[in-house]
Amino acid sequence: MSTRNPDAHLPWGTTARAPWAVEITPERAGWTYAGLRVLSLPQGGQVTFDTGDEEMLVLPLAGAATVHCDRVRLVLTGRASVFAAVTDFAYLPRDATVTVRGEGRFALPSARATRRLSPRYAAARDVPVELRGAGPASRQVNNFCAPNAFDCDRLVAVEVLTPAGNWSSYPPHKHEEDRAYDDGRVEAELEEIYYFEVAGGAPGDPDGPVGYQRVYGTTRRPIDVLAEVRGGDVMLVPYGYHGPSMAEPGYHLYYLNVLAGPAPARSMACVDDPRHGWIRGSWADQPIDPRLPLAGPTPGGA
């Protein structure tokens, strides 16, 4: 189900274009910077592509791969699933020809870039894992490509794991303008993509378990979406408050956040909906959900 702005919710398969199972370009999203592709490779599969004016990552969702870029070979150990482990990943610069060989499902977050950096490997053991919130708002955030964790030109990406029955992306927050508030809060202008997977389901399964995502705007910039999301679905957030992301009881929820904006300095600065920001203060008296962390580094410290 969705309410209004149906173009914001893109079910698995609706944006497929060979070789991509998901292809979200800035043009497809109707904005300027952020993009996402998802690649599904059979055993022994291989795809070659150009990055163009975008920097990208190769992030294993399920499986392992070898990435060749600028005569550099990057071997990704990967993981069995997004709920099994934190993964290693590869960085791809703009204006590069890339070949990915392997088996599995791989996300390629992207952003329009002005600087050309070098291709790089990032180990799972170096990914900062944060336990955020408390009580039923507890979740795990893998800050693998947060501004302070990994260098990019414009791209920011993190993973969020929400235990079954919990809410994340909460309290609702927004980052639609570069602004410093009188009370000291700071907001950055960012486009954002959510890519979802749900434990116990597979991308494209119409009978699989679900989660829910809320996006709503202000009087000045209205948007109003409540979407039932399944594995492989994408949500576009051009502006407005987003949250909560809701995991139904019995099924953990995963989402990959891809963010990019016009500022030369990468930031994830956001401001809460003032009606609900008080909830952060309530967490001090609540324990973090003992099921967390749901996933740690891959075996062997890759």
Side-chain angles (χ1 to χ4, degrees):
M1 64 179 252
S2 292
T3 62
R4 293 189 225 168
N5 301 92
D7 290 344
H9 175 213
L10 304 173
W12 174 266
T14 59
T15 66
R17 188 173 74 94
W20 311 111
V22 172
E23 185 187 40
I24 306 294
T25 63
E27 291 80 10
R28 173 64 181 81
W31 54 39
T32 306
Y33 300 101
L36 172 69
R37 295 159 180 84
V38 176
L39 181 64
S40 293
L41 290 178
Q43 184 175 7
Q46 173 178 312
V47 168
T48 298
F49 58 93
D50 294 327
T51 59
D53 61 358
E54 296 175 286
E55 59 182 350
M56 301 180 182
L57 308 176
V58 180
L59 179 78
L61 300 171
T66 301
V67 179
H68 294 264
C69 177
D70 285 358
R71 300 183 181 179
V72 176
R73 180 174 179 264
L74 306 170
V75 179
L76 301 181
T77 301
R79 53 188 167 183
S81 80
V82 295
F83 300 101
V86 175
T87 187
D88 51 358
F89 63 97
Y91 174 84
L92 310 175
R94 61 167 292 163
D95 302 316
T97 298
V98 180
T99 297
V100 179
R101 297 189 181 99
E103 178 181 4
R105 191 167 59 257
F106 307 90
L108 284 82
S110 64
R112 289 261 160 77
T114 55
R115 291 187 300 148
R116 190 180 195 277
L117 307 179
S118 299
R120 282 168 289 147
Y121 171 82
R125 63 175 175 269
D126 296 329
V127 172
V129 175
E130 174 189 0
L131 302 186
R132 188 179 297 174
S138 301
R139 62 273 203 183
Q140 174 180 340
V141 183
N142 300 332
N143 289 301
F144 69 99
C145 190
N148 293 329
F150 189 81
D151 186 32
C152 293
D153 183 52
R154 276 201 170 94
L155 178 61
V156 175
V158 301
E159 299 180 305
V160 180
L161 295 148
T162 308
N166 283 11
W167 286 18
S168 60
S169 194
Y170 199 73
H173 56 279
K174 71 180 180 76
H175 35 67
E176 64 183 30
E177 57 185 328
D178 285 310
R179 180 178 175 185
Y181 292 78
D182 292 340
D183 59 6
R185 294 177 301 156
V186 177
E187 180 180 359
E189 180 183 349
L190 295 167
E191 306 157 351
E192 183 165 7
I193 300 170
Y194 281 69
Y195 166 84
F196 296 92
E197 297 206 358
V198 186
D205 181 0
D207 299 317
V210 302
Y212 294 87
Q213 178 66 45
R214 181 80 170 107
V215 181
Y216 61 95
T218 61
T219 303
R220 184 172 66 87
R221 302 187 79 181
I223 184 172
D224 187 3
V225 181
L226 173 60
E228 184 176 88
V229 294
R230 288 181 165 82
D233 286 10
V234 168
M235 178 72 74
L236 303 179
V237 185
Y239 51 83
Y241 292 106
H242 32 292
S245 304
M246 295 163 271
E248 65 178 356
Y251 302 97
H252 302 319
L253 180 68
Y254 164 95
Y255 51 89
L256 167 65
N257 286 143
V258 183
L259 308 98
R266 295 158 68 223
S267 171
M268 296 183 71
C270 63
V271 292
D272 293 335
D273 183 333
R275 296 172 296 179
H276 306 298
W278 66 268
I279 290 166
R280 292 187 188 274
S282 71
W283 294 341
D285 299 323
Q286 300 180 58
I288 292 176
D289 191 315
R291 293 174 291 179
L292 292 172
L294 289 178
T298 48

